Amino acid sequence: MPAGPTLILFASDIHIGQTEVDTAHRLREVVSREVALRNGCLAGVFFLGDVGESLRDVAGCLSALGGLAPVQVMIPGNHDLFDTERIGSSKSKYENHLPRVVREAGWTWGENGPVILAEHDLAIVLSPAWASPGHLPEKMRGISRAEIFEARRETLPDGQWITSDWDDDAESTRMLGRFRANLEAIPPAIGRVIAGTHVPPFVEMMGKRDAMDGRSPWFVSHRFGEAIVAANRSRERTWITHVLSGHTHDLVQVSIPWHPNRPALQCRSLGGSVGDPGWVLLEVEDR
């Protein structure tokens, strides 16, 4: 048995199928090597979206990384909902096809509920945290909805590959409801929570995109940041301690104060690029 630390892996933006690099197997090799160097034990793997644009690519990636840890969980990102296979519906892909592929690969769909690691006094709650242009943070309210959607159509592939049945505001609202419900489902005895999202929930996690151009509303989901802060305020001590996200491909590590007398949130956008996913190994303490 390893005498070193217990570790959990968060990874995002693997983008299988967009490069000739065997990204999944390379990620497995690099992570396994790092765990061995630290003489550690990998307790969980958490994918924060943008695994692949086709169901076949997602299935292949999950298979290639299967068995890496006893707990393996995935949430989708925007690229995972691209209708590259002409299913005809990004909404159906999200609600039916992707959860089936995840389940058949032996993984867990991340919105199903909180992941409880009771022996480590820890829960992990995941959400795609879809950006909602109808609910912009104060810093972005000078950008009109017309500018937002025009920028999306011209500069983001979502405008071409997310089908018309997908309503950003409605789906973001539904995801937010599940996120809050999953936080509420955590047993009271659990003292620490890590939140993992695809879209960063705080503007401060956006890195170089914080110039607030027309693309910016698709790179932050502040409603989820508000939910995280509200969950912490409902407790007598800091409950959600870490927030990890993908999506922007910017590596950002920032402490975000939320209360004058309590520790700041430790937030990290995982960075990475196509063929070179962002990832981090976090050490978890025993209870």
Side-chain angles (χ1 to χ4, degrees):
M1 288 289 290
T6 299
L7 304 166
I8 52 177
L9 171 70
F10 289 87
S12 185
D13 298 277
I14 298 169
H15 291 291
I16 297 295
Q18 291 185 254
T19 173
E20 294 181 2
V21 176
D22 190 349
T23 312
H25 284 96
R26 187 168 75 174
L27 178 63
R28 185 183 186 106
E29 291 172 3
V30 171
V31 169
S32 298
R33 188 183 315 123
E34 179 66 20
V35 172
L37 285 172
R38 295 168 68 169
N39 196 27
C41 174
L42 190 60
V45 174
F46 300 89
F47 279 177
L48 302 183
D50 281 3
V51 174
E53 294 183 359
S54 73
L55 295 172
R56 184 176 70 175
D57 287 337
V58 172
C61 180
L62 299 184
S63 175
L65 286 149
L68 196 57
V71 175
Q72 300 197 134
V73 187
M74 174 194 154
I75 52 170
N78 54 312
H79 280 260
D80 300 307
L81 302 188
F82 286 7
D83 189 26
T84 58
E85 296 156 298
R86 304 299 182 187
I87 293 170
S89 168
S90 293
K91 186 174 176 63
S92 179
K93 190 173 183 181
Y94 166 63
E95 293 178 345
N96 302 306
H97 299 282
L98 275 169
R100 172 182 55 78
V101 166
V102 170
R103 183 174 62 252
E104 289 176 353
W107 287 56
T108 297
W109 185 251
E111 290 187 284
N112 283 354
V115 176
I116 308 298
L117 302 178
E119 64 274 25
H120 302 291
D121 192 30
L122 179 66
I124 295 98
V125 176
L126 305 183
S127 175
W130 199 269
S132 174
H135 301 83
L136 294 179
E138 187 67 38
K139 294 179 182 179
M140 295 180 180
R141 287 180 186 161
I143 305 172
S144 72
R145 285 179 67 86
E147 289 174 312
I148 290 168
F149 284 97
E150 182 64 16
R152 183 194 203 193
R153 185 183 67 80
E154 291 186 352
T155 65
L156 298 176
D158 299 40
Q160 303 173 40
W161 294 109
I162 297 289
T163 59
S164 60
D165 65 335
W166 183 267
D167 183 309
D168 294 299
D169 290 341
E171 295 304 332
S172 175
T173 297
R174 279 189 275 271
M175 290 177 186
L176 181 61
R178 284 189 286 271
F179 182 69
R180 287 173 169 156
N182 288 339
L183 286 173
E184 293 173 1
I186 296 172
I190 297 296
R192 295 178 298 128
V193 179
I194 295 173
T197 66
H198 181 63
V199 179
F202 298 103
V203 171
E204 294 88 341
M205 297 174 71
M206 287 173 57
K208 66 186 180 185
R209 301 190 194 276
D210 62 5
M212 304 303 169
D213 61 16
R215 292 165 56 98
S216 299
W218 307 107
F219 288 90
V220 63
S221 191
H222 87 290
R223 311 169 77 193
F224 287 80
E226 291 176 350
I228 288 167
V229 171
N232 270 350
R233 290 190 185 280
S234 70
R235 301 288 176 125
E236 294 182 357
R237 62 188 178 94
T238 299
W239 189 46
I240 302 172
T241 58
H242 291 74
V243 180
L244 296 107
S245 302
H247 189 46
T248 68
H249 294 199
D250 294 330
L251 178 59
V252 178
Q253 202 161 350
V254 61
S255 296
I256 299 180
W258 63 276
H259 190 283
N261 301 316
R262 298 191 190 178
L265 284 164
Q266 300 305 306
C267 301
R268 182 182 180 112
S269 291
L270 296 178
S273 60
V274 174
D276 184 20
W279 61 277
V280 65
L281 283 169
L282 294 185
E283 184 173 333
V284 297
E285 302 173 356
D286 292 333
R287 181 185 282 273

